[in-house]
Amino acid sequence: MVVTNAEVRLTELFEEMVSLRRHFHQYPELSFQEVETPKMIASYLRELGIEVREHVGGNGVVSRIKGGDGPTIALRADFDALPIQDVKDVPYRSKVNGVMHACGHDAHTATLLVLAKVLTELDLPGDVVLIHQFAEELAPGGAKPMIEDGCLDNVDYIYGAHIWTPLPFGTVGVKTGPVMAAADRFELTITGKGGHGAIPQHTVDALMVAVNVANHLQQVVSRRIDPLEPAVLTIGTLHSGQAFNVIAEEAKLSGTVRTFTSETQDKIITDMERMIRSVCAASDAEYALDYIKGYPAVVNHVRETEFVRQSAKETVGEDGVIEMAPLMVGEDFAYYLEQVPGSFFFTGAGNPELSAIFPHHHPRFDVDERAMLHTAHILLGALQRTWMTHEKED
């Protein structure tokens, strides 16, 4: 495996990477509705002579580049889009009304495809498995069904990356241990007794009970969780009532909980239930709580993260490598890391000169496409370091 030549080839193929990314950007597909994107991915890989399996776990594509008898390493990219209207004034703006790549998954996919082309030209010490994943954006996600359908069979390590506009181009975010939170959601229905707005004594006001519940739930994290333990409980919606002079019989709330450990997650669930039950009992109201556990926390492994860190230093320089603070957003790459050692990192893609300044999931979201090249170089370096370390251990 001659890495220097591979790095040159990646640079030579950068325009192809950009072309692929812009095609995917123009033709986005929502989570669990991906049809043409996986077809194009599979076709591109087959033209490289790579073994390809489609419909993995649903809409996933898995391919394998054959190498020597060293460890098998997986690389993952997601390819689903979001239900957001693209309002950028660029030639590659989404052509699908109300759908856009507002999180960089198009760039992840293009990066991995071109990296695959370069890897087929190398004498690899071990196999490389390419996991092109559907439905990262929408729980239950695509990672879990793809794993259940064998995408990690005989895989020893895995690496993934997120092109990230909050970090400026030329930087890379790396972190050992918990780096992204478990992302849960909950839906709560409170039932009281409706009635005339002028005769409250004969009613149980579900709206007022909901407001009291919402206030009490804000104390779960602030007063029940260790302040040194990161956690978030957010109520995103509260719907109740139909008329100005009618006391509501029902109120519905929904929200999200973000944690890094199962202990904190379990405590929040227990305390939420206790507070909701107590407030409702005090008001003679009934409730139904539906708590849905989402993706677990993304927890990077120590050695593999160090491989990424060293590769990032070679790519952007030591000053460009940033120790990431934990993020409260979720990612189903967590499921892969529960099965095999690996690491997930963030490649800086923000650039004011290119209007790549908007946050992820924004209708004007865009990236500095050179971040794709940085990502490919770092993944390539991580592959090499993993194989080299294994050879030394042998």
Side-chain angles (χ1 to χ4, degrees):
M1 181 176 180
V2 183
V3 174
T4 303
N5 290 347
E7 291 174 343
V8 172
R9 282 291 287 148
L10 283 171
T11 302
E12 292 173 349
L13 293 169
F14 176 61
E15 290 306 316
E16 180 175 339
M17 199 181 287
V18 170
S19 178
L20 285 167
R21 182 257 167 169
R22 294 186 177 187
H23 174 86
F24 291 129
H25 198 85
Q26 291 179 80
Y27 301 98
E29 295 180 301
L30 293 173
S31 305
F32 297 103
Q33 300 177 35
E34 309 95 338
V35 176
E36 297 304 320
T37 304
K39 283 182 182 178
M40 182 174 174
I41 291 168
S43 176
Y44 182 96
L45 293 169
R46 285 198 175 99
E47 288 181 6
L48 299 177
I50 299 174
E51 169 191 318
V52 177
R53 185 160 69 101
E54 297 181 74
H55 308 295
V56 180
N59 298 332
V61 180
V62 176
S63 56
R64 181 180 291 265
I65 304 173
K66 299 287 187 176
D69 58 2
T72 296
I73 305 172
L75 304 176
R76 175 269 209 168
D78 40 16
F79 57 75
D80 57 323
L82 287 155
I84 298 172
Q85 181 65 43
D86 191 349
V87 299
K88 295 189 302 298
D89 185 17
V90 294
Y92 50 88
R93 183 170 59 187
S94 172
K95 296 180 182 295
V96 183
N97 189 45
V99 183
M100 75 172 287
H101 276 290
C103 202
H105 295 188
D106 51 343
H108 301 164
T109 302
T111 299
L112 194 55
L113 288 176
V114 172
L115 179 57
K117 175 177 281 192
V118 172
L119 291 173
T120 61
E121 302 170 1
L122 302 176
D123 183 16
L124 302 177
D127 290 0
V128 174
V129 171
L130 307 171
I131 299 173
H132 286 276
Q133 184 202 307
F134 66 102
E136 185 278 330
E137 293 287 3
L138 184 62
K144 195 171 183 180
M146 289 190 72
I147 293 169
E148 292 168 351
D149 200 8
C151 76
L152 288 182
D153 288 358
N154 302 311
V155 168
D156 300 297
Y157 305 94
I158 188 166
Y159 294 97
H162 207 308
I163 286 175
W164 198 243
T165 58
L167 293 178
F169 173 74
T171 64
V172 178
V174 182
K175 186 183 183 304
T176 300
V179 64
M180 301 181 82
D184 302 340
R185 65 185 176 94
F186 62 88
E187 297 175 359
L188 173 64
T189 300
I190 294 172
T191 304
K193 181 181 178 182
H196 199 293
I199 314 173
Q201 69 271 24
H202 297 314
T203 70
V204 175
D205 190 339
L207 174 56
M208 290 306 299
V209 176
V211 170
N212 286 332
V213 166
N215 284 330
H216 278 77
L217 288 180
Q218 296 310 304
Q219 300 175 33
V220 171
V221 172
S222 66
R223 289 296 178 267
R224 304 291 295 175
I225 302 300
D226 185 336
L228 298 179
E229 179 66 33
V232 170
L233 192 162
T234 293
I235 297 172
T237 68
L238 195 168
H239 298 289
S240 183
Q242 297 179 347
F244 78 97
N245 60 347
V246 176
I247 290 176
E249 182 156 332
E250 184 178 85
K252 293 187 176 183
L253 303 90
S254 67
T256 185
V257 173
R258 307 297 171 107
T259 56
F260 283 100
T261 67
S262 58
E263 293 79 12
T264 299
Q265 182 188 53
D266 290 343
K267 180 169 176 52
I268 287 178
I269 295 171
T270 299
D271 288 345
M272 282 180 63
E273 182 89 35
R274 181 184 298 117
M275 285 187 173
I276 294 167
R277 182 171 60 248
S278 299
V279 172
C280 288
S283 303
D284 293 326
E286 297 180 351
Y287 74 93
L289 174 64
D290 186 15
Y291 190 100
I292 305 101
K293 290 185 177 181
Y295 303 152
V298 177
V299 183
N300 282 336
H301 296 253
V302 175
R303 186 174 68 166
E304 290 68 37
T305 302
E306 186 57 30
F307 294 157
V308 168
R309 183 177 285 107
Q310 294 305 316
S311 298
K313 287 179 180 179
E314 288 183 352
T315 303
V316 299
E318 188 164 354
D319 291 342
V321 179
I322 297 169
E323 189 68 20
M324 286 286 289
L327 298 170
M328 301 310 291
V329 295
E331 235 286 356
D332 68 351
F333 194 82
Y335 290 116
Y336 301 114
L337 292 175
E338 288 184 337
Q339 302 296 316
V340 296
S343 189
F344 191 76
F345 63 93
F346 299 82
T347 309
N351 188 340
E353 295 180 2
L354 301 175
S355 295
I357 56 175
F358 297 97
H360 292 247
H361 297 207
H362 190 282
R364 294 187 183 276
F365 176 83
D366 208 350
V367 301
D368 187 326
E369 292 169 319
R370 294 174 296 169
M372 295 189 290
L373 198 55
H374 282 172
T375 301
H377 285 309
I378 295 167
L379 289 172
L380 185 66
L383 288 172
Q384 183 192 34
R385 283 179 165 81
T386 306
W387 281 318
M388 288 177 58
T389 302
H390 187 265
E391 289 174 0
K392 291 177 181 178
E393 290 175 347
D394 288 347

